[in-house]
Amino acid sequence: MSALLAGLTLLIIGDSHVTFKDSLLSILPEAYTEAGAKVVTYGVCSSTAADWVVPNANNGCGAAQRIGAAPLAPPTMTPTAPPPITSLIAQWHPDVVMVVLGDTMAAYGQSEISKNWADEQVKTLTMTLGKTACIWIGPTWGEYSPRYGKTDKRAQEMADFLKDEVAPCTYIDGTKLMQPGSPKTIDGVHLTPASYKVWGNGILQQTMPVLEKLRKG
Protein backbone atom coordinates (compact mmCIF):
# COMPACT_ATOMS: atom_id res chain seq x y z
CA MET A 1 0.00 0.00 0.00
CA SER A 2 1.27 3.48 -0.86
CA ALA A 3 0.69 6.58 1.24
CA LEU A 4 -0.26 8.85 -1.65
CA LEU A 5 -3.82 9.33 -0.36
CA ALA A 6 -3.29 8.43 3.28
CA GLY A 7 -5.77 10.19 5.55
CA LEU A 8 -8.22 10.94 2.73
CA THR A 9 -11.81 9.69 2.97
CA LEU A 10 -13.44 9.25 -0.44
CA LEU A 11 -17.13 8.61 -1.02
CA ILE A 12 -18.01 7.29 -4.50
CA ILE A 13 -21.63 7.35 -5.70
CA GLY A 14 -23.05 6.55 -9.09
CA ASP A 15 -25.21 4.54 -11.43
CA SER A 16 -24.77 1.05 -12.87
CA HIS A 17 -21.14 1.78 -13.82
CA VAL A 18 -20.30 1.41 -10.10
CA THR A 19 -22.84 -1.28 -9.22
CA PHE A 20 -21.69 -4.58 -10.68
CA LYS A 21 -18.70 -6.90 -10.60
CA ASP A 22 -16.10 -6.11 -13.27
CA SER A 23 -17.39 -2.54 -13.55
CA LEU A 24 -15.76 0.55 -12.02
CA LEU A 25 -16.90 -0.90 -8.67
CA SER A 26 -14.13 -3.48 -9.07
CA ILE A 27 -11.46 -1.00 -10.19
CA LEU A 28 -11.69 2.37 -8.47
CA PRO A 29 -12.18 1.40 -4.79
CA GLU A 30 -9.30 -1.06 -4.94
CA ALA A 31 -6.89 1.43 -6.49
CA TYR A 32 -7.77 4.29 -4.15
CA THR A 33 -7.61 1.96 -1.13
CA GLU A 34 -4.21 0.74 -2.29
CA ALA A 35 -3.12 4.39 -2.41
CA GLY A 36 -4.04 4.76 1.27
CA ALA A 37 -7.50 6.34 1.11
CA LYS A 38 -10.54 5.26 3.09
CA VAL A 39 -13.10 4.52 0.37
CA VAL A 40 -16.85 3.91 0.55
CA THR A 41 -18.77 3.19 -2.65
CA TYR A 42 -22.51 3.13 -3.36
CA GLY A 43 -23.96 2.32 -6.76
CA VAL A 44 -27.62 2.30 -7.77
CA CYS A 45 -28.45 1.27 -11.31
CA SER A 46 -30.51 3.83 -13.29
CA SER A 47 -30.12 6.51 -10.61
CA THR A 48 -29.97 10.15 -11.64
CA ALA A 49 -28.28 12.98 -9.78
CA ALA A 50 -31.35 14.21 -7.89
CA ASP A 51 -32.15 10.66 -6.76
CA TRP A 52 -29.18 11.01 -4.39
CA VAL A 53 -30.84 14.02 -2.76
CA VAL A 54 -34.52 13.03 -2.82
CA PRO A 55 -34.31 9.22 -2.83
CA ASN A 56 -36.36 7.52 -5.50
CA ALA A 57 -36.60 3.73 -5.62
CA ASN A 58 -35.53 2.62 -9.09
CA ASN A 59 -36.71 -0.33 -11.13
CA GLY A 60 -34.66 -2.89 -9.25
CA CYS A 61 -31.90 -3.26 -11.83
CA GLY A 62 -29.27 -3.38 -9.09
CA ALA A 63 -27.78 -1.62 -6.08
CA ALA A 64 -24.48 -2.19 -4.29
CA GLN A 65 -22.36 -0.98 -1.39
CA ARG A 66 -18.66 -1.63 -0.96
CA ILE A 67 -16.50 -0.60 1.96
CA GLY A 68 -12.90 -0.19 0.92
CA ALA A 69 -11.73 -3.12 -1.18
CA ALA A 70 -13.94 -5.67 0.58
CA PRO A 71 -14.95 -8.72 -1.45
CA LEU A 72 -17.80 -7.92 -3.80
CA ALA A 73 -21.22 -9.21 -2.79
CA PRO A 74 -24.02 -9.77 -5.30
CA PRO A 75 -26.00 -6.58 -5.93
CA THR A 76 -29.44 -6.07 -4.43
CA MET A 77 -31.92 -6.72 -7.22
CA THR A 78 -35.08 -5.25 -5.68
CA PRO A 79 -36.23 -1.63 -6.16
CA THR A 80 -33.79 0.39 -4.08
CA ALA A 81 -33.54 4.12 -3.45
CA PRO A 82 -30.07 5.67 -3.22
CA PRO A 83 -29.13 6.70 0.31
CA PRO A 84 -29.53 10.50 0.58
CA ILE A 85 -26.20 12.21 0.13
CA THR A 86 -26.70 14.26 3.29
CA SER A 87 -26.91 11.09 5.38
CA LEU A 88 -23.89 9.58 3.63
CA ILE A 89 -21.83 12.69 4.33
CA ALA A 90 -22.97 12.70 7.96
CA GLN A 91 -22.08 9.01 8.31
CA TRP A 92 -18.74 8.86 6.52
CA HIS A 93 -17.44 12.46 6.71
CA PRO A 94 -15.79 12.30 3.29
CA ASP A 95 -13.10 14.76 2.26
CA VAL A 96 -14.16 14.21 -1.34
CA VAL A 97 -17.29 12.90 -3.07
CA MET A 98 -16.80 11.29 -6.48
CA VAL A 99 -19.91 11.25 -8.66
CA VAL A 100 -20.10 8.79 -11.58
CA LEU A 101 -23.20 9.91 -13.48
CA GLY A 102 -24.18 10.97 -16.97
CA ASP A 103 -25.64 8.13 -19.03
CA THR A 104 -28.88 8.04 -17.02
CA MET A 105 -29.59 11.69 -17.84
CA ALA A 106 -28.63 11.66 -21.52
CA ALA A 107 -32.06 10.63 -22.88
CA TYR A 108 -30.61 8.05 -25.24
CA GLY A 109 -33.15 7.09 -27.87
CA GLN A 110 -34.99 10.42 -27.55
CA SER A 111 -34.73 13.33 -29.95
CA GLU A 112 -32.90 15.58 -27.51
CA ILE A 113 -31.68 16.01 -23.94
CA SER A 114 -34.08 17.93 -21.71
CA LYS A 115 -31.45 20.42 -20.65
CA ASN A 116 -33.68 22.20 -18.12
CA TRP A 117 -34.41 18.87 -16.44
CA ALA A 118 -30.77 17.76 -16.57
CA ASP A 119 -29.65 21.13 -15.20
CA GLU A 120 -32.06 20.75 -12.28
CA GLN A 121 -30.78 17.22 -11.68
CA VAL A 122 -27.14 18.27 -11.56
CA LYS A 123 -27.65 21.45 -9.55
CA THR A 124 -29.82 19.62 -6.98
CA LEU A 125 -26.87 17.38 -6.19
CA THR A 126 -24.02 19.90 -6.41
CA MET A 127 -25.84 22.40 -4.20
CA THR A 128 -26.57 19.71 -1.62
CA LEU A 129 -22.90 18.74 -1.52
CA GLY A 130 -22.24 22.19 -0.14
CA LYS A 131 -18.60 22.74 0.76
CA THR A 132 -17.62 19.09 0.37
CA ALA A 133 -15.04 18.78 -2.41
CA CYS A 134 -16.25 16.75 -5.36
CA ILE A 135 -15.12 15.18 -8.61
CA TRP A 136 -17.66 14.37 -11.32
CA ILE A 137 -16.92 11.59 -13.81
CA GLY A 138 -18.85 12.02 -17.05
CA PRO A 139 -19.90 9.27 -19.46
CA THR A 140 -17.66 7.59 -21.98
CA TRP A 141 -18.42 6.20 -25.43
CA GLY A 142 -20.61 3.15 -26.01
CA GLU A 143 -22.00 1.18 -28.92
CA TYR A 144 -25.38 1.63 -30.52
CA SER A 145 -28.01 -0.96 -29.61
CA PRO A 146 -31.81 -0.71 -29.86
CA ARG A 147 -32.10 -1.40 -26.13
CA TYR A 148 -30.62 1.94 -25.06
CA GLY A 149 -30.07 3.89 -28.28
CA LYS A 150 -26.74 5.31 -27.10
CA THR A 151 -24.80 7.09 -29.83
CA ASP A 152 -21.40 8.75 -29.83
CA LYS A 153 -23.06 12.03 -30.80
CA ARG A 154 -25.35 12.02 -27.76
CA ALA A 155 -22.56 10.84 -25.44
CA GLN A 156 -20.47 13.78 -26.62
CA GLU A 157 -23.40 16.15 -26.17
CA MET A 158 -23.95 14.96 -22.60
CA ALA A 159 -20.24 15.14 -21.80
CA ASP A 160 -20.07 18.72 -23.08
CA PHE A 161 -23.23 19.65 -21.17
CA LEU A 162 -21.88 18.33 -17.88
CA LYS A 163 -18.61 20.19 -18.36
CA ASP A 164 -20.48 23.47 -18.02
CA GLU A 165 -22.87 22.30 -15.29
CA VAL A 166 -21.07 20.45 -12.52
CA ALA A 167 -19.08 23.32 -10.97
CA PRO A 168 -17.81 23.57 -8.29
CA CYS A 169 -17.03 19.88 -8.83
CA THR A 170 -13.89 19.07 -10.78
CA TYR A 171 -15.04 17.52 -14.06
CA ILE A 172 -13.41 14.49 -15.66
CA ASP A 173 -14.66 14.05 -19.22
CA GLY A 174 -15.04 10.33 -19.87
CA THR A 175 -14.99 10.85 -23.63
CA LYS A 176 -11.41 12.12 -23.35
CA LEU A 177 -10.22 8.89 -21.72
CA MET A 178 -10.97 6.50 -24.59
CA GLN A 179 -11.08 6.83 -28.36
CA PRO A 180 -14.53 6.89 -30.02
CA GLY A 181 -15.40 3.40 -31.20
CA SER A 182 -12.83 1.73 -28.94
CA PRO A 183 -15.01 0.62 -25.98
CA LYS A 184 -16.64 -2.78 -26.26
CA THR A 185 -19.97 -3.21 -24.51
CA ILE A 186 -22.34 -5.97 -23.47
CA ASP A 187 -25.50 -4.01 -24.33
CA GLY A 188 -24.50 -0.68 -25.87
CA VAL A 189 -23.95 1.15 -22.55
CA HIS A 190 -22.28 -1.18 -20.05
CA LEU A 191 -18.71 -2.04 -20.97
CA THR A 192 -16.97 -5.38 -21.10
CA PRO A 193 -14.56 -6.08 -18.22
CA ALA A 194 -11.59 -5.26 -20.46
CA SER A 195 -13.05 -1.92 -21.55
CA TYR A 196 -13.98 -1.04 -17.95
CA LYS A 197 -10.31 -1.55 -17.07
CA VAL A 198 -9.24 0.90 -19.78
CA TRP A 199 -11.83 3.47 -18.70
CA GLY A 200 -11.04 2.91 -15.04
CA ASN A 201 -7.31 3.35 -15.58
CA GLY A 202 -8.00 6.59 -17.42
CA ILE A 203 -10.11 7.82 -14.51
CA LEU A 204 -7.35 6.91 -12.07
CA GLN A 205 -4.72 8.77 -14.07
CA GLN A 206 -6.87 11.90 -14.09
CA THR A 207 -8.13 11.77 -10.52
CA MET A 208 -5.07 10.71 -8.54
CA PRO A 209 -3.35 14.12 -8.88
CA VAL A 210 -6.60 15.89 -7.98
CA LEU A 211 -7.11 13.72 -4.91
CA GLU A 212 -3.50 14.10 -3.81
CA LYS A 213 -3.82 17.89 -4.07
CA LEU A 214 -7.05 17.82 -2.05
CA ARG A 215 -5.42 15.64 0.58
CA LYS A 216 -2.53 18.05 0.95
CA GLY A 217 -4.88 21.02 0.95
Side-chain angles (χ1 to χ4, degrees), residues 16-17 29 31 48 79 81-82 87 91 98 101 104 115 122 124-126 137 140 155 164 168 186 192 200 202 212:
S16 54
H17 293 304
T48 63
S87 67
Q91 179 179 3
M98 182 175 292
L101 285 171
T104 56
K115 293 186 176 179
V122 172
T124 297
L125 180 54
T126 56
I137 312 298
T140 193
D164 297 326
I186 60 174
T192 62
E212 184 180 12

Side-chain angles (χ1 to χ4, degrees), residues 142-160:
E143 295 177 303
Y144 178 79
S145 76
R147 180 177 179 182
Y148 291 108
K150 182 172 182 175
T151 63
D152 285 351
K153 181 179 179 181
R154 180 57 59 82
Q156 183 70 74
E157 183 182 358
M158 191 64 194
D160 292 344

Side-chain angles (χ1 to χ4, degrees), residues 12-16 18-19 42-45 47 52 98-101:
I12 303 174
I13 63 170
D15 55 23
S16 54
V18 288
T19 300
Y42 291 84
V44 179
C45 176
S47 61
W52 293 87
M98 182 175 292
V99 180
V100 184
L101 285 171

Side-chain angles (χ1 to χ4, degrees), residues 16-73:
S16 54
H17 293 304
V18 288
T19 300
F20 302 104
K21 181 182 177 182
D22 296 324
S23 70
L24 297 179
L25 180 63
S26 295
I27 300 165
L28 301 184
E30 293 175 11
Y32 295 132
T33 299
E34 181 66 23
K38 177 181 178 181
V39 186
V40 184
T41 308
Y42 291 84
V44 179
C45 176
S46 294
S47 61
T48 63
D51 291 341
W52 293 87
V53 179
V54 181
N56 176 41
N58 70 12
N59 60 11
C61 59
Q65 173 185 343
R66 190 179 191 191
I67 307 299
L72 288 170

Side-chain angles (χ1 to χ4, degrees), residues 8-214:
L8 187 84
T9 299
L10 173 62
L11 171 64
I12 303 174
I13 63 170
D15 55 23
S16 54
H17 293 304
V18 288
T19 300
F20 302 104
K21 181 182 177 182
D22 296 324
S23 70
L24 297 179
L25 180 63
S26 295
I27 300 165
L28 301 184
E30 293 175 11
Y32 295 132
T33 299
E34 181 66 23
K38 177 181 178 181
V39 186
V40 184
T41 308
Y42 291 84
V44 179
C45 176
S46 294
S47 61
T48 63
D51 291 341
W52 293 87
V53 179
V54 181
N56 176 41
N58 70 12
N59 60 11
C61 59
Q65 173 185 343
R66 190 179 191 191
I67 307 299
L72 288 170
T76 300
M77 298 303 292
T78 56
T80 303
I85 190 66
T86 50
S87 67
L88 292 178
I89 291 173
Q91 179 179 3
W92 299 107
H93 306 288
D95 300 294
V96 188
V97 174
M98 182 175 292
V99 180
V100 184
L101 285 171
D103 278 329
T104 56
M105 297 179 289
Y108 297 129
Q110 299 181 28
S111 59
E112 61 184 16
I113 298 172
S114 175
K115 293 186 176 179
N116 288 337
W117 175 82
D119 172 76
E120 182 179 4
Q121 289 282 319
V122 172
K123 292 297 192 291
T124 297
L125 180 54
T126 56
M127 291 178 66
T128 305
L129 288 172
K131 295 182 179 180
T132 305
C134 60
I135 301 173
W136 194 300
I137 312 298
T140 193
W141 313 106
E143 295 177 303
Y144 178 79
S145 76
R147 180 177 179 182
Y148 291 108
K150 182 172 182 175
T151 63
D152 285 351
K153 181 179 179 181
R154 180 57 59 82
Q156 183 70 74
E157 183 182 358
M158 191 64 194
D160 292 344
F161 172 81
L162 288 172
K163 180 181 180 180
D164 297 326
E165 291 291 318
V166 302
C169 297
T170 298
Y171 181 56
I172 306 297
D173 186 343
T175 65
K176 304 295 187 184
L177 305 180
M178 303 179 77
Q179 292 297 316
S182 65
K184 302 302 180 184
T185 72
I186 60 174
D187 56 13
V189 172
H190 303 96
L191 309 186
T192 62
S195 286
Y196 268 123
K197 286 182 180 180
V198 175
W199 187 25
N201 286 335
I203 292 171
L204 291 169
Q205 289 176 8
Q206 293 295 313
T207 57
M208 280 293 191
V210 178
L211 291 169
E212 184 180 12
K213 183 178 180 180
L214 288 169

